[in-house]
Amino acid sequence: MRWGLIGASTIAAEHMIGAIRASGGEIATVLSSSPDRAVSYAAKHDIPKGVTDLDAAMDGVDAVYISTTNEKHLPQAMAAIAAGKHVLCEKPLAMSVADAVTMVKAAQAANVTFGTNHHLRNAGSHLAIRELIATGRIGTVLSVRVFHAVHLPPHLQGWRIDNPDAGGGVIPDITVHDADTVRFHLGEDPVDVVAMKTASGMGQGVEDSAMSIWSMPSGAMVHTHESFTHRFAGSGIEVHGTEGSIIARGVMTQAPVGDVTLRFEGGEQAVEYATHGLYDRAVDLFSKACAGEGRPAADGVDGVKSLAVAAAVAKAAETGTRTAVDYGGV
Ligand code: NDP
């Protein structure tokens, strides 16, 4: 499959270029808003063409990977869909749920594959956790706690910590991932949320920390904590059920690492899991879906729903009121 990279981004450089090539894909072009950067990024990553024109970036490719800042995803995805390209888009899909719905419906109408790059549901650790829940090993789920307070490294601080117009803030950045991960594990969508947010040393005009509580249709409660400012907290997820608990540490990350423990009456056991690359699996499943086989790990509807939960968390934190999640009709 021939790919065009829409956005000369860090995530492409650190993870996705390698994952696309590992899947057998060929990267034909990269788009940047800066002519110099287009050329230097292309040269650095051995990509034949670095361009500033979107049509040129899509010329001769089967699929695009969109990893620009968030406000650009909508126009770029719509142009790619109109050109008949398959689209793998970064999260959050757009700046609003309505825009994300527009993208996903356009892809459906054009009959192109649309994927959302939620990496966590591709992790062996999370696949193992989901399997434990789905096979009843912890009984009925009572609650989930997500610990995703990290320290944003300096090279990623940029627009994330000071530019709301580009989609900055920890809620669009990390709460969306937690929403996708919880939906993946529980197989249901949050109903409503309460939340608070703050700027705790990094955010300038955007929040750098948030805590929220979500109610699920089953009655389970979910508690999440996201931050850019916590150097020593470590990440994790706990899923507590009537017959057992899953305690996972160090698993809310981009690498296939961390420990998963199943705790039950009379003991606990370490859970083994597969250690493939998270982005490798995402690209493999997306590429197969483009060839008519299966579906992307996270599709467009998953991307709309994770954004809808994050949008509800943002609104609840802003207004101080319990807020229903509006999934935009998907
Ligand atoms: P970057 O800041 O690295 O890239 C975003 C844009 O910023 C690029 O498209 C590029 O613009 C510009 N840019 C990047 N580096 C430089 C530089 N050194 N000098 C000047 N301009 C630069 O963002 P990320 O890669 O961190 O994030 C991009 C998208 O991917 C976001 O939507 C984010 O939410 C998502 N993301 C997803 C992750 C996941 O695991 N799914 C992880 C990290 C990010 P141009 O293209 O015009 O040159």
Side-chain angles (χ1 to χ4, degrees):
M1 198 156 97
R2 280 168 67 82
W3 291 73
L5 300 186
I6 308 299
S9 67
T10 308
I11 178 72
E14 290 184 350
H15 294 282
M16 292 298 286
I17 290 174
I20 289 169
R21 288 182 173 147
S23 76
E26 178 191 340
I27 301 171
T29 57
V30 58
L31 175 83
S32 170
S33 55
S34 140
D36 287 350
R37 200 171 146 69
V39 169
S40 63
Y41 193 97
K44 182 168 180 194
H45 298 287
D46 214 7
I47 298 169
K49 264 199 306 179
V51 298
T52 55
D53 176 67
L54 185 54
D55 288 334
M58 296 193 294
D59 189 28
V61 308
D62 306 300
V64 296
Y65 166 58
I66 299 176
S67 64
T68 45
T69 45
N70 305 337
E71 85 288 5
K72 293 183 178 166
H73 296 176
L74 171 73
Q76 291 169 337
M78 294 304 284
I81 292 164
K85 310 300 177 189
H86 302 296
V87 175
L88 178 56
C89 187
E90 270 305 341
K91 47 47 67 172
L93 286 187
M95 298 292 283
S96 73
V97 176
D99 285 351
V101 170
T102 299
M103 291 156 70
V104 171
K105 287 197 170 157
Q108 284 166 353
N111 204 22
V112 295
T113 300
F114 191 101
T116 307
N117 202 27
H118 280 304
H119 60 298
L120 290 168
R121 60 166 66 207
N122 290 288
S125 56
H126 286 284
L127 289 162
I129 292 168
R130 186 182 192 229
E131 179 73 7
L132 290 170
I133 298 167
T135 54
R137 296 291 296 278
I138 61 168
T140 302
V141 174
L142 300 169
S143 65
V144 180
R145 297 201 291 168
V146 182
F147 312 92
H148 208 158
V150 297
H151 187 258
L152 191 65
H155 74 288
L156 293 182
Q157 287 178 13
W159 57 271
R160 276 185 178 79
I161 64 165
D162 67 4
N163 191 348
D165 296 335
V170 80
I171 295 173
D173 201 50
I174 304 185
T175 307
V176 279
H177 278 311
D178 293 344
D180 184 67
T181 305
V182 170
R183 289 187 57 250
F184 178 68
H185 287 315
L186 301 192
E188 56 178 353
D189 302 329
V191 177
D192 57 10
V193 307
V194 293
M196 294 182 78
K197 63 178 182 175
T198 193
S200 58
M202 208 180 270
Q204 300 152 40
V206 298
E207 78 288 343
D208 60 30
S209 297
M211 290 190 183
S212 57
I213 297 171
W214 315 341
S215 71
M216 303 302 285
S218 63
M221 295 179 77
V222 177
H223 172 205
T224 81
H225 179 200
E226 297 88 15
S227 179
F228 290 154
T229 61
H230 286 50
R231 287 180 190 275
F232 309 107
S235 76
I237 184 167
E238 297 179 353
V239 188
H240 302 291
T242 51
E243 310 301 323
S245 286
I246 299 162
I247 314 288
R249 289 282 179 265
V251 296
M252 307 303 286
T253 185
Q254 296 174 303
V257 295
D259 299 311
V260 182
T261 304
L262 175 63
R263 193 180 288 165
F264 45 87
E265 180 114 39
E268 59 179 41
Q269 74 184 57
V271 176
E272 301 289 321
Y273 62 83
T275 55
H276 54 260
L278 285 61
Y279 298 94
D280 291 348
R281 183 174 184 274
V283 171
D284 271 345
L285 291 179
F286 178 80
S287 304
K288 285 185 179 132
C290 293
E293 195 187 316
R295 48 155 281 173
D299 64 14
V301 171
D302 293 315
V304 170
K305 290 188 171 181
S306 64
L307 175 57
V309 175
V313 167
K315 188 171 169 193
E318 203 67 55
T319 60
T321 54
R322 185 165 178 155
T323 301
V325 183
D326 178 355
Y327 291 101
V330 300

